[in-house]
Amino acid sequence: DAGVIQSPRHEVTEMGQEVTLRCKPISGHDYLFWYRQTMMRGLELLIYFNNNVPIDDSGMPEDRFSAKMPNASFSTLKIQPSEPRDSAVYFCASGSGLAGEETQYFGPGTRLLVL
Amino acid sequence: LAKTTQPISMDSYEGQEVNITCSHNNIATNDYITWYQQFPSQGPRFIIQGYKTKVTNEVASLFIPADRKSSTLSLPRVSLSDTAVYYCLVGRYSGYALNFGKGTSLLVTP
């Protein structure tokens, strides 16, 4: 398996623009997570899905952020409009959710810079 | 969710054993303890997971006392390549709503 795939790997945009981050989880995993990492706040969970259904989105900072998972092999995280404070590395992770196997597999991340 | 407390940073020399302790006083009965490692410009990577007593794999050992209110990740004979951030997480086996926080930044020097 290729692991969790994220695109783009780098994104530079201007304030006010829409940004869409994409994630392909590992096949067979039924949990998908979106994280954001900054120096100030560390690695924060934004939202996670189970069987394509959002379970907990309490980490989503505000209405400018939205996430979807239309099928088991694809998810998007959208920021509209983007702001400079959204600059961070965004990670997607997936997991199987099997009993006793609480392992999350992370993608390489998308480094976002909002000017 | 159980809150965890771990040191912000640690330093070690090559070849030494490193022990990173994590406190989790309000751990619940069903919670597992999991440690991840993150290198710069990469996503976190699973190292080890345990529920009680001691767990060992090819990378590390995890020591969990009987009260489970803390855990210690032990890295034997560290090398420069073990320089990374180490995260301690506590959660129920079906509860994936976990925050990694800032972890412990380990610096290994010659």
Side-chain angles (χ1 to χ4, degrees):
Chain A
D1 199 313
V4 176
I5 299 173
Q6 292 187 246
S7 65
R9 293 294 308 276
H10 302 273
E11 177 82 25
V12 180
T13 190
E14 293 187 344
M15 182 174 62
Q17 297 297 307
E18 177 180 293
V19 175
T20 299
L21 311 181
R22 298 173 177 79
C23 175
K24 177 179 170 55
I26 293 172
S27 178
H29 284 182
D30 50 13
Y31 283 83
L32 184 138
F33 314 83
W34 282 102
Y35 290 88
R36 176 173 68 176
Q37 185 169 40
T38 61
M39 288 292 292
M40 289 295 294
R41 301 173 69 92
L43 190 59
E44 305 173 279
L45 178 69
L46 299 177
I47 184 171
Y48 79 98
F49 296 82
N50 178 214
N51 292 322
N52 313 336
V53 176
I55 302 300
D56 185 351
D57 65 355
S58 59
M60 295 285 263
E62 50 198 270
D63 292 345
R64 296 185 298 106
F65 285 69
S66 63
K68 295 182 180 180
M69 192 166 186
N71 56 63
S73 59
F74 183 67
S75 176
T76 60
L77 178 67
K78 185 175 294 186
I79 308 172
Q80 167 63 20
S82 58
E83 297 182 2
R85 58 187 169 135
D86 301 330
S87 297
V89 181
Y90 291 81
F91 289 104
C92 174
S94 69
S96 66
L98 295 175
E101 200 173 297
E102 295 294 287
T103 303
Q104 297 179 52
Y105 297 84
F106 282 76
T110 295
R111 190 172 297 273
L112 173 66
L113 177 60
V114 183
L115 302 173
Chain B
L1 295 171
K3 180 180 178 180
T4 60
T5 302
Q6 53 183 124
I8 296 296
S9 64
M10 295 183 68
D11 296 329
S12 178
Y13 292 108
E14 272 190 300
Q16 290 189 328
E17 177 184 76
V18 172
N19 295 308
I20 306 175
T21 297
C22 179
S23 298
H24 28 80
N25 292 320
N26 60 338
I27 187 170
T29 302
N30 292 335
D31 286 349
Y32 278 76
I33 300 160
T34 311
W35 286 79
Y36 286 79
Q37 175 191 56
Q38 185 179 24
F39 296 114
S41 301
Q42 295 185 25
R45 181 178 70 109
F46 170 85
I47 299 177
I48 197 167
Q49 182 179 81
Y51 183 79
K52 61 180 179 180
T53 63
K54 176 183 175 182
V55 179
T56 297
N57 60 24
E58 65 280 3
V59 176
S61 294
L62 178 59
F63 297 92
I64 306 170
D67 65 7
R68 306 204 320 127
K69 293 184 182 300
S70 67
S71 59
T72 299
L73 174 72
S74 180
L75 305 172
R77 297 179 299 283
V78 295
S79 64
L80 299 178
S81 61
D82 292 317
T83 292
V85 178
Y86 293 83
Y87 299 93
C88 164
L89 281 81
V90 174
R92 294 167 180 76
Y93 76 81
S94 60
Y96 272 89
L98 304 174
N99 262 321
F100 282 65
K102 295 188 176 182
T104 297
S105 180
L106 173 65
L107 175 63
V108 181
T109 55

